[in-house]
Amino acid sequence: MILPIYIYGQPVLRKVAEDITPDYPELQPLISDMWETLAESEGIGLAAPQIGRAIRLVVIDLDVLSDDMPEYKGFRQVFINPHIIEKDDRKTDSSEEGCLSLPAIHEKVERPTRIHVQWQDEQFQQHDEWVEGYLARVMQHEFDHLDGHMFIDRISPLRRQLIKSKLKALTLGRYRCGYKTKPVRR
């Protein structure tokens, strides 16, 4: 089932998400719905807060980029209870980011190119590794959602001031996008 994407201004996007256990109700159907929602919205990552759930659950599909980034051919991963343990700040990269919860807003964000992450897969097997490159950027973006942050929190105050009217329009429901959304109700 395709779920609505919660748009900037929805309180759940600013909550710190909770870890879940294997007995979380209807987890597998929820994961399936997240994959379907991600495909419909043509995104590469989706965090549970973006569909109104304050839980630590993320799906990332980099296979859709494999024509340009062949190293991600077949990369589709579920991350349960992910946490960034450490960021290697010795090397950073500034690249443009967008977000399904912020339609039509794109800004350059500087992030470390290497991070140490821990998470569980769909079988709740523990993973602990250092991740580099584009996947590290996507993980940081999606895992930020689990801590109540959005990429616009990581841009300069000047850039944030320049997009203030766009952010206000989102909270008022004045935006267009090609996927199902849940705007803020006023």
Side-chain angles (χ1 to χ4, degrees):
M1 171 172 53
I2 296 169
L3 304 169
I5 305 286
Y6 281 54
I7 299 299
Y8 175 79
Q10 287 279 6
V12 70
L13 294 173
R14 293 304 191 173
K15 287 184 179 172
V16 175
E18 306 262 333
D19 281 350
I20 59 173
T21 59
D23 61 351
Y24 185 83
E26 304 292 318
L27 180 58
Q28 284 308 316
L30 176 61
I31 291 170
S32 294
D33 291 347
M34 288 179 70
W35 281 123
E36 193 174 344
T37 302
L38 181 62
E40 177 69 17
S41 61
E42 299 181 353
I44 59 172
L46 183 65
Q50 293 179 277
I51 55 160
R53 304 274 186 107
I55 59 172
R56 297 190 79 82
L57 175 62
V58 168
V59 296
I60 295 176
D61 180 359
L62 295 185
D63 183 63
V64 298
L65 304 175
S66 63
D67 286 347
D68 295 325
M69 300 175 160
E71 65 271 29
Y72 295 119
K73 180 79 177 151
F75 187 94
R76 284 174 47 96
Q77 180 71 48
V78 175
F79 297 88
I80 297 174
N81 302 327
H83 294 274
I84 296 174
I85 305 306
E86 184 181 352
K87 294 180 180 182
D88 182 350
D89 291 323
R90 290 177 294 177
K91 185 176 178 196
T92 61
D93 175 59
S94 182
S95 290
E96 190 171 279
E97 292 186 20
C99 180
L100 297 174
S101 294
L102 293 156
I105 296 179
H106 297 85
E107 292 290 328
K108 283 197 170 243
V109 179
E110 187 160 343
R111 295 191 187 269
T113 59
R114 185 172 178 260
I115 57 173
H116 179 201
V117 293
Q118 292 178 344
W119 81 93
Q120 295 165 314
D121 59 29
E122 286 183 81
Q123 290 71 46
F124 281 81
Q125 296 299 308
Q126 190 69 33
H127 297 265
D128 183 321
E129 67 179 291
W130 282 91
V131 177
E132 297 184 36
Y134 190 70
L135 177 57
R137 171 172 295 280
V138 175
M139 285 177 151
Q140 288 173 83
H141 177 106
E142 297 304 332
F143 298 175
D144 268 356
H145 281 298
L146 305 179
D147 293 323
H149 302 296
M150 302 180 85
F151 81 86
I152 55 169
D153 301 336
R154 304 210 180 276
I155 62 177
S156 72
L158 174 61
R159 288 300 313 155
R160 187 149 169 131
Q161 186 63 36
L162 291 172
I163 64 168
K164 191 175 181 179
S165 64
K166 290 180 182 180
L167 295 174
K168 178 76 170 168
L170 290 176
T171 65
L172 297 174
R174 293 196 308 250
Y175 60 89
R176 289 186 198 178
C177 61
Y179 48 88
K180 190 175 174 181
T181 63
K182 185 167 178 71
V184 177
R185 300 272 182 231
R186 295 252 175 224

